[in-house]
Amino acid sequence: MSAATRRLTTAQALVRFLAAQYTERDGARHRLIAGTWGIFGHGNVAGLGQALVQYADVMPYHQGRSEQAMVHAAVGHARQLNRLSAQAVTTSIGPGATNLVTGAALATINRLPVLLLPGDYFASHAADPLLQQLEHPTEADVSVNDTLRPVSRYFDRVTRPEALIASALQAMRVLTDPAETGAVTLALPQDVQAEAYDWPEEFFADRIWRVRRPAPDPVELAEAVRAVRAAERPMIVAGGGIHHSEAEEALKALVDATGVPVASTQAGKGTLRHDHPADLGGVGHTGTAVSDDLARTADLVIGVGTRYSDFTTASGTLFQRPDVRFLNLNITAFDAHKLAARTLVCDARTGLTALTEALSGHRVDASYEAEYRAGKARWDETVAAAFRAGDDSAVPTQTQVLGALDAVVGDEDVVINAAGSLPGDLHKLWRARSPRQYHLEYGYSCMGYEIPAALGVQQAAPGTPVWALVGDGTYLMNPTEIVTAVQENLPVKLVLVQNHGYASIGGLSESVGAERFGTDYRHRAADGTFTGAPLPVDLAANAASLGMDVLRAKTVGELREALRAARAADRPTCVYVETDPAPPTAPPAEAWWDVPVAEVSAREAATEARAEYERAVADRRRHL
């Protein structure tokens, strides 16, 4: 007797399959594909569009306005739920598909799962070339979707209905693999989407993908314990892998038992509460003074769930002690082996717990604890001074904006940012109260991430106050998902900081001899110089035109009141504030970052910057 089958189109089968997938970790089960974002065109409207209508009762649909933004929203959702749940994104062929590339790169670099379902050409080539098809003179199977290959952890073009079975299972495997996850792309030719096939019923059965927690190898664990016991000045660099593994309590247990201090990357901030005595704040180019001072004298650096970006290592200049060594605990062997480290390849929670047990009775010297605690106390005073509101009638600085927000948020609030000058200030100054409060996308540092990511976080955590912090430059990159927030009544809070230009790159430009060229939004005179008058652009009015409630704040006092009102609001709300960029209220960088400067130049600013660059680059080390 033949096995039971169900006759559906390929698109219908895919949607029904996705609705039956689950993850499970530590006994808790989650819907793997919690919903599908989509913008429809001729490459997906008759296939996936029809299927999503047919199965609307089991697959929620979210209408996006920008393909890139839909991916950002899905990434925000996955991060908020510790990678145990993801969302799918479907687009038409052509520009709709290629608009996915930036979001896919962001997801893969940050090791966050998202399923991409772009339409593709006719597999049969019956209509050839069709509208928006790329014609390649020697490779007829190439389409614009192939641009997604290098930024996807798994890619397949499903050219026959039955090929979907193996491909869909592989896609789920990668999405749920804690070491391999990232963007997954299934390119779907539009004729195949609409083609019917007799699918085995087993394809639609509920399937559980267990997210593993691999334990450390006993030999590696023993070597790690010896290294920690032998160290006089160990420190932990906490990365985003701790959050993904839900290992914050395991980290705290290790720190409480051993006294080893913790500095965090952008992705790892919040792994300890800011007021824990061993939490030293951010590390690296945007790190705190106490973290970076300790890093320069550490003899053992214990990296947990970090990939050691150049911001973390200060481009190879931070860890300066001659005999410094590294011990890396990471679920990905690729990252564990960086900086010639001893490795502990395992799940963060499992590995930290094993390390704590094996180090029973060991604690760092009391004088070392006293040293870093004193440094932390000094930095806490620096933060308090930077956040101090001052005169309520004054125009706020950007640092005072953060201070006002710090005074308003609760432990459960989520603060989202990605690019501009805000990441540096936040990494140094923000006082994270809970594991998910600090949401910085700094692996790709993508302008335009914040607003759509806030939607994904809000979907993942209904009832949680979610804040998107953006500057004027970032806002102009990607404000369109405000309309979706209004449409779905997602009460995200947007803090829109107007400083009339690219503040971060403007400062960097000046430091490398490019003299702030191309970073200002003011009027230009006929000779190319700036007149000083700001452009007649009203971003608050723009946000209002897209459906947001807008609160304008001109002073420190008005800002505090507007933030309180926004937090209490039950619909999308924007707090618009024009800041005073003149006072340097944020502490300067505590460590270097390598941006090569012109070796020869006819301009004095570049010549001076090159001399400073050569002094700084001389401190770079290769850790072997």
Side-chain angles (χ1 to χ4, degrees):
M1 187 173 71
S2 63
T5 60
R6 192 185 311 186
R7 191 161 183 81
L8 300 172
T9 68
T10 303
Q12 292 162 0
L14 176 58
V15 172
R16 187 64 191 83
F17 167 84
L18 294 177
Q21 307 305 301
Y22 297 87
T23 62
E24 186 175 281
R25 186 169 69 182
D26 304 328
R29 187 172 298 182
H30 304 264
R31 176 83 174 263
L32 175 52
I33 305 299
T36 299
W37 289 87
I39 296 176
F40 296 114
H42 67 94
N44 65 343
V45 65
L48 276 169
Q50 187 281 326
L52 287 166
V53 171
Q54 182 164 321
Y55 290 114
D57 58 330
V58 295
M59 178 57 68
Y61 165 72
H62 310 292
Q63 184 177 0
R65 268 71 193 178
S66 155
E67 291 85 1
Q68 181 188 136
M70 293 194 297
V71 186
H72 293 338
V75 166
H77 173 97
R79 177 170 172 172
Q80 181 68 21
L81 295 176
N82 299 315
R83 307 192 301 186
L84 296 172
S85 181
Q87 292 177 320
V89 176
T90 179
T91 72
S92 180
I93 65 172
T98 52
N99 283 346
L100 295 173
V101 173
T102 296
L106 180 148
T108 296
I109 286 171
N110 286 286
R111 321 289 169 83
L112 291 165
V114 60
L115 177 61
L116 307 180
L117 304 172
D120 215 322
Y121 56 56
F122 280 63
S124 65
H125 290 276
D128 191 41
L130 72 156
L131 178 65
Q132 299 177 324
Q133 180 178 340
L134 172 71
E135 293 184 273
H136 195 287
T138 61
E139 297 179 71
D141 63 340
V142 169
S143 83
V144 295
N145 287 338
D146 289 275
T147 59
L148 288 160
R149 288 182 183 270
V151 292
S152 297
R153 295 296 288 173
Y154 179 79
F155 179 99
D156 193 18
R157 179 174 286 112
V158 183
T159 57
R160 292 180 60 86
E162 60 268 35
L164 176 66
I165 296 175
S167 187
L169 291 170
Q170 287 294 333
M172 300 304 105
R173 176 190 65 78
V174 175
L175 287 172
T176 57
D177 189 317
E180 295 296 322
T181 195
V184 168
T185 300
L186 298 182
L188 302 171
Q190 57 181 303
D191 54 344
V192 177
Q193 289 182 50
E195 188 174 345
Y197 181 74
D198 293 323
W199 303 88
E201 282 289 348
E202 292 85 353
F203 187 56
F204 308 116
D206 287 357
R207 189 180 300 269
I208 299 170
W209 300 85
R210 290 187 170 82
V211 180
R212 66 181 70 89
R213 288 194 181 278
D217 176 81
V219 174
E220 286 193 336
L221 179 60
E223 291 180 350
V225 169
R226 283 194 291 272
V228 176
R229 288 186 180 276
E232 295 179 349
R233 300 180 63 83
M235 70 179 299
I236 292 169
V237 173
I242 296 174
H243 289 309
H244 298 330
S245 178
E246 299 174 293
E248 297 89 358
E249 286 301 316
L251 174 67
K252 182 177 181 296
L254 174 65
V255 172
D256 288 345
T258 64
V260 177
V262 175
S264 56
T265 68
Q266 286 279 16
K269 195 171 172 76
T271 48
L272 285 183
R273 270 186 63 100
H274 74 94
D275 52 4
H276 189 285
D279 180 66
L280 307 183
V283 67
H285 176 62
T286 54
T288 68
V290 58
S291 287
D292 288 352
D293 285 348
L294 221 64
R296 294 183 181 96
T297 60
D299 58 353
L300 180 68
V301 179
I302 307 167
V304 184
T306 179
R307 61 191 187 93
Y308 287 111
S309 77
D310 61 339
F311 260 63
T312 299
T313 67
S315 300
T317 65
L318 185 58
F319 305 108
Q320 282 297 322
R321 181 163 164 150
D323 61 345
V324 65
R325 291 294 179 264
F326 295 82
L327 166 64
N328 292 337
L329 191 165
N330 204 296
I331 200 166
T332 305
F334 176 81
D335 291 315
H337 281 273
K338 289 177 177 176
L339 302 175
R342 290 183 175 89
T343 60
L344 205 55
V345 180
C346 58
D347 170 74
R349 182 196 286 184
T350 304
L352 288 169
T353 300
L355 200 55
T356 303
E357 293 171 354
L359 286 167
S360 178
H362 174 74
R363 193 167 185 87
V364 300
D365 190 82
S367 63
Y368 182 51
E369 279 194 82
E371 176 190 340
Y372 71 67
R373 290 190 181 199
K376 173 182 173 60
R378 289 191 298 271
W379 187 258
D380 288 344
E381 286 296 320
T382 299
V383 173
F387 278 179
R388 201 163 290 129
D391 184 356
D392 274 11
S393 63
V395 175
T397 66
Q398 180 167 284
T399 307
Q400 288 170 336
V401 172
L402 298 183
L405 183 61
D406 173 83
V408 166
V409 300
D411 288 9
E412 69 276 19
D413 292 39
V414 179
V415 176
I416 302 172
N417 185 242
S421 58
L422 279 165
D425 291 352
L426 286 161
H427 198 209
K428 290 191 199 81
L429 303 174
W430 189 258
R431 300 187 281 211
R433 296 134 161 101
S434 61
R436 276 282 158 244
Q437 183 173 87
Y438 187 87
H439 183 128
L440 261 284
E441 188 289 295
Y442 215 60
Y444 208 43
S445 187
C446 185
M447 295 177 73
Y449 170 82
E450 296 90 339
I451 295 173
L455 273 61
V457 171
Q458 193 75 81
Q459 290 172 336
T464 297
V466 179
W467 302 84
L469 274 58
V470 301
D472 50 349
T474 292
Y475 179 85
L476 288 167
M477 289 276 185
N478 207 359
T480 55
E481 274 11 66
I482 288 174
V483 178
T484 300
V486 173
Q487 182 179 32
E488 298 209 0
N489 196 30
L490 297 170
V492 295
K493 294 91 173 60
L494 170 62
V495 179
L496 176 50
V497 179
Q498 172 63 278
N499 54 22
H500 301 290
Y502 297 122
S504 174
I505 294 302
L508 177 63
S509 171
E510 191 169 46
S511 73
V512 298
E515 303 172 59
R516 292 187 177 263
F517 179 76
T519 66
D520 204 301
Y521 286 172
R522 292 173 295 166
H523 281 288
R524 280 185 181 274
D527 63 359
T529 60
F530 291 113
T531 66
L535 298 177
V537 175
D538 190 340
L539 299 184
N542 179 264
S545 76
L546 297 177
M548 275 196 138
D549 290 343
V550 176
L551 306 171
R552 294 175 184 258
K554 295 182 179 180
T555 66
V556 171
E558 290 178 4
L559 173 63
R560 283 202 301 269
E561 292 304 313
L563 291 172
R564 290 192 189 100
R567 189 173 189 273
D570 61 0
R571 68 180 313 277
T573 302
C574 170
V575 175
Y576 174 85
V577 56
E578 187 167 357
T579 58
D580 181 355
T585 54
E590 297 290 338
W592 186 62
W593 181 45
D594 190 350
V595 177
V597 178
E599 191 168 0
V600 296
S601 175
R603 299 187 67 84
E604 182 179 356
T607 302
E608 292 175 354
R610 178 67 190 192
E612 178 58 34
Y613 175 83
E614 289 176 355
R615 284 191 292 271
V617 78
D619 290 333
R620 179 163 19 234
R621 291 185 60 184
R622 296 288 187 183
H623 295 284
L624 300 172

